[in-house]
Amino acid sequence: MFEPPVQRLIDEFARLPGIGAKSAQRLAFHLLNAEEADARRFADAIIEMRVSVHLCSRCYNVTDREECSICLDLRRDTTVVCVVERVQDIPVIERTQQFRGRYHVLGGAMSPIAGIGPEQLRMKELLIRVEAESIEEVIAATNPTLEGDTTAMYPAQLLDRKSVV
């Protein structure tokens, strides 16, 4: 419909979650009409993120260092870990300003129908952390769905045997 470079950008935006054809078209034309410096800054931000961001070696949050800023924060309670399904769940909890422990990102939720069991998630890594870091309390902050509840119950049953709350 549009010239190939414009249509390619529209198609790429449309591949993003929650972006339909009309939104993709609006975004592409916004960038086409933006100042050159603004468009380059946008492109550079995407490239920088892809090059420098990876998963924290401790909790699997996103970071540009070996460990994320939450794991490196000495004011955090190292004996408490909040288990979340996705990295995107962390800011939701952080906005409450009530939790002062660390996190563990599982990378999803158990779903037998989709073939996602504990082996596909970072459950083993959680159990290793609990032992290695002398974690005393594990809080499950999974989504309130059947999959989220199942995901929360799995480590709870395993950790209950180890006297971890």
Side-chain angles (χ1 to χ4, degrees), residues 7-65:
Q7 189 60 51
R8 180 172 168 231
L9 184 58
I10 292 169
D11 293 344
E12 290 303 318
F13 274 130
R15 293 179 56 198
L16 296 172
I19 304 292
K22 287 189 182 220
S23 292
Q25 192 175 24
R26 276 193 296 276
L27 291 168
F29 277 95
H30 173 78
L31 287 175
L32 182 65
N33 294 320
E35 294 290 326
E36 179 77 15
D38 294 339
R40 288 199 183 278
R41 199 169 43 252
F42 181 76
D44 289 344
I46 293 171
I47 292 167
E48 180 185 2
M49 179 194 66
R50 294 296 302 162
V51 168
S52 64
V53 173
H54 56 274
L55 298 179
C56 173
S57 62
R58 180 185 305 265
C59 74
Y60 304 97
N61 188 6
V62 291
T63 184
D64 60 349
R65 295 171 287 198

Side-chain angles (χ1 to χ4, degrees), residues 66-137:
E66 178 68 22
E67 289 188 5
C68 70
S69 59
I70 294 173
C71 286
L72 292 173
D73 187 346
L74 299 175
R75 298 168 296 178
R76 295 264 178 181
D77 184 348
T78 60
T79 65
V80 180
V81 169
C82 181
V83 178
V84 296
E85 293 176 19
R86 306 169 310 139
V87 168
Q88 299 93 310
D89 299 327
I90 294 174
V92 175
I93 297 169
E94 285 296 292
R95 276 194 295 272
T96 68
Q97 298 182 348
Q98 299 299 307
F99 180 69
R100 298 302 306 157
R102 290 182 175 165
Y103 293 92
H104 186 86
V105 182
L106 292 173
M110 291 173 54
S111 175
I113 294 172
I116 301 171
E119 302 81 21
Q120 285 73 41
L121 303 175
R122 296 185 194 98
M123 293 286 188
K124 181 177 68 176
E125 292 84 346
L126 173 62
L127 298 175
I128 291 168
R129 272 187 78 187
V130 166
E131 193 76 28
E133 298 177 24
S134 301
I135 293 169
E136 298 170 4
E137 183 178 4

Side-chain angles (χ1 to χ4, degrees), residues 131-147:
E131 193 76 28
E133 298 177 24
S134 301
I135 293 169
E136 298 170 4
E137 183 178 4
V138 175
I139 301 167
T142 55
N143 290 315
T145 61
L146 181 60
E147 291 84 2

